[in-house]
Amino acid sequence: MSQTKKNILLVISTVLVTLVVTGCAALYLMGGNLAKAGDMIRFIATVRFVENHFDGEVDQTALINGSIDGMMKSLGDKYSIYLDEDKFRQLNNINNGTFGGIGVVMSFAEPGHCKIMSVMENTPGQDAGLQAGDEVIAVEGTPVSELQPEEVVGKIRGVEGTQVVITIRRQGEADKDYTLTRSVIAMTTAAGDMIPDTDIGYIRIASFSENTGREFKDALEKERSQNAKGLIIDLRANPGGLVTSCMEIANMVVPEGEVVSLIDKSGDKQVFTSSLTGASMPIVVLIDGNSASASEILAGALKDRGAATLVGMKSYGKGSVQTILPLFRGDGIKLTVAKYYTPSGTSIDGIGIQPDVEIAMPENPVEDVQLLKAIEVMKGKIQ
């Protein structure tokens, strides 16, 4: 036999052995499911074909990252997403209560629009002269109307010391570009004080991060020491966050018993309860269309357990639970793994929580009419 024929047979044998080994491995990984094993072989074969035959440089990591990204998008769930290294770092920083940004709280209540609700003190946003009520119409030249809310946030946040250009529309003025240098935003997520000339305490929870439970406890103890007879919890524009932090707060305000239950794909149910005993002060909760996820868990528990009156507008309606999976290259995925249910057994996913007292904010408010209504409701409770 000639050497050429031997080489050809060797190549064919190698390919066959590779296919057999790959097929057996795929079949094992797919639990003996032939269809799934076939799909796995298709994927591996495609990757190998692209690597070997694409007329250009192939970055294997970028190829796999793109595959994972496409995998998550194929689920059709806007909360299940691939997080590259930058986005994964941003998510961790937010959960830790710090991130590189400009120091503004944004609202996406109206689809395709992004309004600044407040500007934090001593931040790039305040230094640049941004104001509550400003509308962000573009980030780095890309119109906000072409981006999802999380993409807007992701573009504005970034590494400390880097710059971002945002276009602002302000009533009565021409649209203007602002170039801001990002800084580390150490965000206090829960803070409050007594409402002047009343015996009503007020605590605003901006999001649920690692420190939120401790911050809420400090604020609550401070107001109790000032003889607060009632408490207003402001959850407006709170996008959610860590369920563990939400439960820390629930144990301070929700009566002993069920707070929320989670039901996963297999039907397994996990019930989270509060251990709070003894009398609690009257509570009013403020919610709006940007109150989502963990903030809806807290609001829903307080409403269903008869422990609070809800004031404002219907909440966002995010009744699903995500878990984070690191992928060992600084990246990761966020995947929806369960739905949560309020103590009454209600799923608010895509529905939201209806307030007991509905009141909308006017177009250009000169005062916080929702907070004023909450104060009025509270005064009726404690008289």
Side-chain angles (χ1 to χ4, degrees):
M1 183 181 296
S2 68
Q3 187 61 42
T4 301
K5 288 183 178 180
K6 287 181 179 179
N7 289 339
I8 292 173
L9 287 174
L10 180 61
V11 170
I12 293 173
S13 299
T14 302
V15 170
L16 289 174
V17 170
T18 301
L19 286 174
V20 170
V21 171
T22 301
C24 290
L27 189 60
Y28 173 77
L29 290 172
M30 295 299 106
N33 187 307
L34 287 172
K36 289 184 178 180
D39 286 338
M40 180 63 73
I41 294 171
R42 287 173 58 226
F43 173 75
I44 295 171
T46 302
V47 171
R48 295 299 297 162
F49 186 79
V50 171
E51 289 176 332
N52 292 330
H53 298 286
F54 175 66
D55 185 19
E57 292 294 323
V58 176
D59 183 329
Q60 186 185 52
T61 299
L63 198 65
I64 297 301
N65 290 350
S67 301
I68 297 171
D69 185 36
M71 188 188 308
M72 302 309 293
K73 288 176 179 175
S74 74
L75 298 174
D77 174 27
K78 63 182 178 180
Y79 303 119
S80 296
I81 58 174
Y82 170 68
L83 301 160
D84 61 25
E85 191 171 351
D86 287 339
K87 291 178 180 177
F88 195 71
R89 185 189 308 112
Q90 290 171 17
L91 178 64
N92 286 331
N93 288 341
I94 292 168
N95 287 340
N96 292 333
T98 62
F99 53 87
I102 62 174
V104 298
V105 176
M106 297 177 290
S107 168
F108 298 92
E110 188 178 350
H113 293 268
C114 170
K115 286 196 174 182
I116 294 177
M117 296 191 64
S118 62
V119 182
M120 302 176 197
E121 294 182 358
N122 303 315
T123 63
Q126 185 185 56
D127 294 342
L130 299 182
Q131 301 174 9
D134 286 347
E135 182 178 358
V136 181
I137 60 172
V139 183
E140 296 290 351
T142 303
V144 167
S145 59
E146 298 178 5
L147 300 169
Q148 293 296 319
E150 60 269 19
E151 293 177 307
V152 176
V153 173
K155 281 181 170 290
I156 290 177
R157 290 175 179 167
V159 178
E160 176 191 9
T162 60
Q163 292 186 327
V164 60
V165 179
I166 63 174
T167 306
I168 293 293
R169 177 167 293 165
R170 185 176 295 165
Q171 191 172 10
E173 299 182 14
D175 296 346
K176 180 180 176 181
D177 287 341
Y178 288 77
T179 301
L180 301 98
T181 301
R182 300 179 179 97
S183 66
V184 172
I185 308 297
M187 189 173 182
T188 299
T189 55
D193 210 335
M194 297 295 293
I195 292 175
D197 303 318
T198 73
D199 46 12
I200 301 171
Y202 169 90
I203 301 177
R204 158 92 176 128
I205 306 176
S207 64
F208 293 90
S209 66
E210 286 186 359
N211 300 321
T212 308
R214 176 182 54 78
E215 293 167 352
F216 183 90
K217 182 180 179 181
D218 291 344
L220 184 60
E221 288 179 349
K222 175 185 174 184
E223 292 170 11
R224 280 175 171 159
S225 70
Q226 296 174 302
N227 299 316
K229 294 183 180 178
L231 175 65
I232 295 175
I233 301 175
D234 192 345
L235 294 174
R236 292 176 295 179
N238 182 325
L242 300 177
V243 175
T244 50
S245 293
C246 174
M247 285 305 304
E248 287 180 37
I249 295 172
N251 273 277
M252 301 180 217
V253 294
V254 178
E256 183 178 16
E258 184 173 337
V259 174
V260 66
S261 61
L262 308 183
I263 300 180
D264 64 17
K265 182 178 182 178
S266 62
D268 290 337
K269 183 176 182 179
Q270 185 178 11
V271 179
F272 292 85
T273 61
S274 168
S275 57
L276 178 67
T277 57
S280 177
M281 68 176 76
I283 297 173
V284 172
V285 177
L286 282 164
I287 59 171
D288 66 8
N290 287 305
S291 304
S293 193
S295 61
E296 292 176 292
I297 289 177
L298 184 61
L302 286 165
K303 179 180 181 180
D304 281 7
R305 300 294 306 284
T309 300
L310 273 54
V311 174
M313 298 298 292
K314 186 172 70 171
S315 64
Y316 183 83
K318 182 179 179 295
S320 59
V321 180
Q322 286 71 44
T323 190
I324 307 298
L325 176 67
L327 296 178
F328 312 112
R329 285 189 177 271
D331 56 351
I333 61 170
K334 183 168 70 169
L335 182 69
T336 298
V337 295
K339 282 189 169 55
Y340 74 75
Y341 295 80
T342 65
S344 64
T346 302
S347 170
I348 55 88
D349 196 41
I351 301 170
I353 298 173
Q354 190 68 33
D356 300 297
V357 180
E358 185 172 302
I359 178 169
M361 290 291 284
E363 182 78 23
N364 297 298
V366 295
E367 57 184 0
D368 190 340
V369 296
Q370 292 176 330
L371 177 57
L372 291 175
K373 174 58 73 171
I375 294 171
E376 177 188 322
V377 171
M378 180 57 74
K379 286 181 176 178
K381 284 175 172 283
I382 61 180
Q383 282 178 351

